[in-house]
PDB file of all heavy atoms in Angstrom:
ATOM      1  N   ALA G 327      24.427  12.722   5.853  1.00 95.00           N
ATOM      2  CA  ALA G 327      25.051  11.921   6.909  1.00 95.00           C
ATOM      3  C   ALA G 327      24.010  11.398   7.902  1.00 95.00           C
ATOM      4  O   ALA G 327      24.212  10.357   8.522  1.00 95.00           O
ATOM      5  CB  ALA G 327      26.109  12.749   7.638  1.00 95.00           C
ATOM      6  N   ARG G 328      22.896  12.119   8.051  1.00 95.00           N
ATOM      7  CA  ARG G 328      21.857  11.665   8.984  1.00 95.00           C
ATOM      8  C   ARG G 328      21.220  10.347   8.541  1.00 95.00           C
ATOM      9  O   ARG G 328      20.591   9.662   9.338  1.00 95.00           O
ATOM     10  CB  ARG G 328      20.761  12.736   9.114  1.00 95.00           C
ATOM     11  CG  ARG G 328      21.074  13.847  10.049  1.00 95.00           C
ATOM     12  CD  ARG G 328      21.032  13.379  11.517  1.00 95.00           C
ATOM     13  NE  ARG G 328      19.669  13.176  11.996  1.00 95.00           N
ATOM     14  CZ  ARG G 328      19.145  12.021  12.333  1.00 95.00           C
ATOM     15  NH1 ARG G 328      19.870  10.930  12.257  1.00 95.00           N
ATOM     16  NH2 ARG G 328      17.913  11.932  12.761  1.00 95.00           N
ATOM     17  N   PHE G 329      21.345  10.029   7.266  1.00 95.00           N
ATOM     18  CA  PHE G 329      20.710   8.810   6.742  1.00 95.00           C
ATOM     19  C   PHE G 329      21.639   7.599   6.775  1.00 95.00           C
ATOM     20  O   PHE G 329      21.206   6.479   6.600  1.00 95.00           O
ATOM     21  CB  PHE G 329      20.292   9.011   5.277  1.00 95.00           C
ATOM     22  CG  PHE G 329      19.118   9.924   5.081  1.00 95.00           C
ATOM     23  CD1 PHE G 329      18.480  10.522   6.157  1.00 95.00           C
ATOM     24  CD2 PHE G 329      18.640  10.168   3.800  1.00 95.00           C
ATOM     25  CE1 PHE G 329      17.386  11.360   5.956  1.00 95.00           C
ATOM     26  CE2 PHE G 329      17.546  11.000   3.590  1.00 95.00           C
ATOM     27  CZ  PHE G 329      16.925  11.597   4.671  1.00 95.00           C
ATOM     28  N   GLU G 330      22.928   7.881   6.944  1.00 95.00           N
ATOM     29  CA  GLU G 330      23.895   6.792   6.808  1.00 95.00           C
ATOM     30  C   GLU G 330      23.941   5.926   8.054  1.00 95.00           C
ATOM     31  O   GLU G 330      23.962   6.444   9.175  1.00 95.00           O
ATOM     32  CB  GLU G 330      25.289   7.356   6.495  1.00 95.00           C
ATOM     33  CG  GLU G 330      25.370   7.861   5.061  1.00 95.00           C
ATOM     34  CD  GLU G 330      26.592   8.720   4.797  1.00 95.00           C
ATOM     35  OE1 GLU G 330      27.415   8.910   5.714  1.00 95.00           O
ATOM     36  OE2 GLU G 330      26.708   9.215   3.663  1.00 95.00           O
ATOM     37  N   GLN G 331      23.953   4.631   7.823  1.00 94.00           N
ATOM     38  CA  GLN G 331      24.042   3.653   8.911  1.00 94.00           C
ATOM     39  C   GLN G 331      22.948   3.819   9.960  1.00 94.00           C
ATOM     40  O   GLN G 331      23.157   3.591  11.135  1.00 94.00           O
ATOM     41  CB  GLN G 331      25.419   3.711   9.553  1.00 94.00           C
ATOM     42  CG  GLN G 331      26.463   3.115   8.631  1.00 94.00           C
ATOM     43  CD  GLN G 331      27.869   3.508   9.017  1.00 94.00           C
ATOM     44  OE1 GLN G 331      28.178   3.586  10.188  1.00 94.00           O
ATOM     45  NE2 GLN G 331      28.698   3.758   8.027  1.00 94.00           N
ATOM     46  N   VAL G 332      21.804   4.253   9.510  1.00 95.00           N
ATOM     47  CA  VAL G 332      20.638   4.316  10.383  1.00 95.00           C
ATOM     48  C   VAL G 332      19.598   3.356   9.820  1.00 95.00           C
ATOM     49  O   VAL G 332      19.371   3.335   8.612  1.00 95.00           O
ATOM     50  CB  VAL G 332      20.053   5.750  10.403  1.00 95.00           C
ATOM     51  CG1 VAL G 332      18.756   5.783  11.196  1.00 95.00           C
ATOM     52  CG2 VAL G 332      21.045   6.732  10.980  1.00 95.00           C
ATOM     53  N   GLY G 333      18.996   2.576  10.690  1.00 96.00           N
ATOM     54  CA  GLY G 333      17.913   1.689  10.258  1.00 96.00           C
ATOM     55  C   GLY G 333      18.350   0.625   9.270  1.00 96.00           C
ATOM     56  O   GLY G 333      17.669   0.390   8.273  1.00 96.00           O
ATOM     57  N   SER G 334      19.469  -0.035   9.558  1.00 96.00           N
ATOM     58  CA  SER G 334      19.991  -1.011   8.585  1.00 96.00           C
ATOM     59  C   SER G 334      19.323  -2.378   8.708  1.00 96.00           C
ATOM     60  O   SER G 334      19.048  -2.843   9.805  1.00 96.00           O
ATOM     61  CB  SER G 334      21.496  -1.200   8.790  1.00 96.00           C
ATOM     62  OG  SER G 334      22.137   0.039   8.643  1.00 96.00           O
ATOM     63  N   VAL G 335      19.090  -2.973   7.557  1.00 96.00           N
ATOM     64  CA  VAL G 335      18.637  -4.364   7.496  1.00 96.00           C
ATOM     65  C   VAL G 335      19.659  -5.089   6.623  1.00 96.00           C
ATOM     66  O   VAL G 335      19.960  -4.650   5.518  1.00 96.00           O
ATOM     67  CB  VAL G 335      17.237  -4.481   6.849  1.00 96.00           C
ATOM     68  CG1 VAL G 335      16.798  -5.933   6.791  1.00 96.00           C
ATOM     69  CG2 VAL G 335      16.214  -3.640   7.600  1.00 96.00           C
ATOM     70  N   GLU G 336      20.204  -6.174   7.158  1.00 96.00           N
ATOM     71  CA  GLU G 336      21.211  -6.907   6.385  1.00 96.00           C
ATOM     72  C   GLU G 336      20.594  -7.649   5.214  1.00 96.00           C
ATOM     73  O   GLU G 336      19.445  -8.086   5.284  1.00 96.00           O
ATOM     74  CB  GLU G 336      21.897  -7.931   7.277  1.00 96.00           C
ATOM     75  CG  GLU G 336      23.004  -7.334   8.086  1.00 96.00           C
ATOM     76  CD  GLU G 336      23.658  -8.372   8.969  1.00 96.00           C
ATOM     77  OE1 GLU G 336      23.589  -9.580   8.624  1.00 96.00           O
ATOM     78  OE2 GLU G 336      24.214  -7.961   9.992  1.00 96.00           O
ATOM     79  N   THR G 337      21.388  -7.830   4.172  1.00 96.00           N
ATOM     80  CA  THR G 337      20.903  -8.497   2.972  1.00 96.00           C
ATOM     81  C   THR G 337      20.333  -9.881   3.277  1.00 96.00           C
ATOM     82  O   THR G 337      19.251 -10.234   2.818  1.00 96.00           O
ATOM     83  CB  THR G 337      22.044  -8.657   1.944  1.00 96.00           C
ATOM     84  OG1 THR G 337      22.702  -7.403   1.834  1.00 96.00           O
ATOM     85  CG2 THR G 337      21.528  -9.082   0.596  1.00 96.00           C
ATOM     86  N   SER G 338      21.060 -10.651   4.104  1.00 96.00           N
ATOM     87  CA  SER G 338      20.610 -12.018   4.362  1.00 96.00           C
ATOM     88  C   SER G 338      19.281 -11.989   5.123  1.00 96.00           C
ATOM     89  O   SER G 338      18.388 -12.800   4.877  1.00 96.00           O
ATOM     90  CB  SER G 338      21.666 -12.768   5.158  1.00 96.00           C
ATOM     91  OG  SER G 338      21.865 -12.115   6.399  1.00 96.00           O
ATOM     92  N   MET G 339      19.153 -11.032   6.039  1.00 96.00           N
ATOM     93  CA  MET G 339      17.919 -10.909   6.807  1.00 96.00           C
ATOM     94  C   MET G 339      16.763 -10.500   5.878  1.00 96.00           C
ATOM     95  O   MET G 339      15.650 -11.031   5.964  1.00 96.00           O
ATOM     96  CB  MET G 339      18.119  -9.872   7.907  1.00 96.00           C
ATOM     97  CG  MET G 339      16.958  -9.726   8.838  1.00 96.00           C
ATOM     98  SD  MET G 339      16.536 -11.264   9.657  1.00 96.00           S
ATOM     99  CE  MET G 339      17.581 -11.146  11.097  1.00 96.00           C
TER     100      MET G 339
END
Side-chain angles (χ1 to χ4, degrees):
Chain G
R328 279 288 286 114
F329 288 0
E330 287 166 2
Q331 288 163 38
V332 174
S334 302
V335 180
E336 277 180 25
T337 312
S338 61
M339 185 58 89

